[in-house]
Amino acid sequence: MLIKQYKSILIPIPSYGFDPTEVSIPWKLLTANNIEVTFATPQGDKASGDNIMLTGDSLGIWRTILKARKDVVEAYYEMEGSDAFCNPFKYTDIKEEDYDGIILPGGHDKGVIEYLESNLLQKLIVNFFAVKKPVGAICHGVVLLARSINPETNKSVIYNYKTTGLLKSQELLAYNLTKLWLKDYYLTYPNKTVEDEVKSVLIKEDNFIKGKTPLGRDSEKHLEKGFYVKDRHYISARWPGDIYNFSIEFIKMMTNIVVINEDHAGKCI
């Protein structure tokens, strides 16, 4: 008889401002594959995604291009009504040993700063890397990894890993398209891009892999439009347009088929 081992994934998020795509699509695909998702927020209160990304309000003529797609909006509101999302853990109450893996989403609204600068999360991430549990990070989530310093080496946990993240060209393009009315909304840290910060912690800049030009968003039927980088137990992606590739590859890494019979009890295949 073939069964899937029980799995549990942690997705920490800020109180407000996370990217709806980068949280709701992994949640939807993980739960569809019988993988439990637990959310965590700074104070254990129910969080809210970036409303501008959900509605397109204030995006002006770029609304259609920049806002979350219809499939994302539907997944977000489904997720918002789930028990896991309505009852998140508090950052102080989460422990690495309670989970089989972790996903670190992004978001560019200033609300994500409390998440990116959380010492609690940074220490937690060091523990996930120490035991080599699956770690996924997308967009600004890679910044959180860059800031997670292994005390034994005084280096970032991704120092010797290949990675990607939000490209400087993507970040500055979105900013320049909307700066007349949204000011620095698209620049979480106006003085440093995601790509620049991530590159600064790597053993060599070539370990930051940009991938093909991101011209469109992927989907389950059009995975060729997306991109991800996998290095050992770590998967990274650049932006919401990579989310299906990212989520599917993370699930592949998590899914463990076990044979259970008299002759081969517990043998992994």
Side-chain angles (χ1 to χ4, degrees):
M1 179 177 66
L2 295 178
I3 66 170
K4 289 185 178 180
Q5 274 190 328
Y6 180 76
K7 298 293 182 184
S8 179
I9 299 300
L10 174 67
I11 303 182
I13 49 179
S15 300
Y16 174 78
F18 63 83
D19 185 271
T21 302
E22 294 168 9
V23 176
S24 66
I25 296 303
W27 169 83
K28 188 173 182 67
L29 296 182
L30 285 163
T31 54
N33 281 271
N34 298 315
I35 299 173
E36 182 185 56
V37 175
T38 297
F39 293 100
T41 60
Q43 300 302 321
D45 298 322
K46 183 179 178 180
S48 298
D50 186 338
N51 193 58
I52 291 178
M53 290 291 96
L54 276 172
T55 65
D57 291 348
S58 303
L59 293 177
I61 60 174
W62 307 112
R63 183 176 187 272
T64 303
I65 297 173
L66 297 174
K67 74 179 290 288
R69 216 164 45 189
K70 181 181 178 182
D71 59 318
V72 171
V73 175
E74 291 174 352
Y76 177 86
Y77 287 117
E78 182 182 350
M79 176 185 74
E80 193 179 45
S82 70
D83 288 340
F85 192 81
C86 290
N87 298 283
F89 280 71
K90 191 175 181 179
Y91 283 178
T92 53
D93 295 333
I94 53 180
K95 300 176 182 178
E96 164 271 314
E97 56 264 33
D98 294 335
Y99 306 97
D100 299 302
I102 187 170
I103 288 180
L104 305 170
H108 51 264
D109 185 279
K110 300 296 188 291
V112 303
I113 289 176
E114 66 174 349
Y115 158 77
L116 298 178
E117 297 183 356
S118 169
N119 290 327
L120 289 170
L121 292 183
Q122 291 166 19
K123 291 177 182 177
L124 180 75
I125 290 163
V126 170
N127 293 337
F128 272 91
F129 268 82
V131 293
K132 294 181 170 54
K133 286 185 178 180
V135 175
I138 182 168
C139 198
H140 284 68
V142 184
V143 171
L144 183 51
L145 288 178
R147 296 174 177 180
S148 298
I149 306 302
N150 183 337
E152 295 183 1
T153 63
N154 204 32
K155 304 287 186 184
S156 168
V157 292
I158 56 171
Y159 173 71
N160 200 26
Y161 282 77
K162 289 182 172 59
T163 188
T164 191
L166 182 65
L167 304 183
K168 185 173 184 176
S169 58
Q170 292 178 294
E171 194 168 358
L172 294 181
L173 176 61
Y175 163 67
N176 285 317
L177 288 176
T178 60
K179 65 181 179 181
L180 289 179
W181 62 94
L182 288 180
K183 303 187 184 302
D184 63 357
Y185 162 70
Y186 268 101
L187 298 180
T188 309
Y189 294 97
N191 297 321
K192 182 177 287 188
T193 66
V194 170
E195 181 178 334
D196 286 338
E197 180 165 355
V198 173
K199 281 182 174 179
S200 73
V201 305
L202 301 177
I203 188 171
K204 56 181 180 179
E205 287 194 357
D206 288 349
N207 273 12
F208 186 94
I209 302 172
K210 295 184 179 184
K212 57 190 177 184
T213 303
L215 296 176
R217 302 187 184 209
D218 69 1
S219 66
E220 286 185 287
K221 293 183 178 179
H222 293 285
L223 292 174
E224 75 281 356
K225 294 183 179 180
F227 177 75
Y228 66 92
V229 172
K230 181 179 178 182
D231 187 349
R232 289 160 279 180
H233 61 102
Y234 169 50
I235 294 176
S236 56
R238 305 168 300 184
W239 71 306
D242 297 326
I243 196 63
Y244 280 94
N245 274 271
F246 171 80
S247 302
I248 290 169
E249 289 303 317
F250 187 87
I251 290 168
K252 287 180 182 178
M253 188 162 61
M254 288 297 308
T255 304
N256 190 12
I257 304 300
V258 179
V259 177
I260 296 192
N261 58 40
E262 294 180 356
D263 299 323
H264 303 286
K267 181 180 178 181
C268 297
I269 60 171

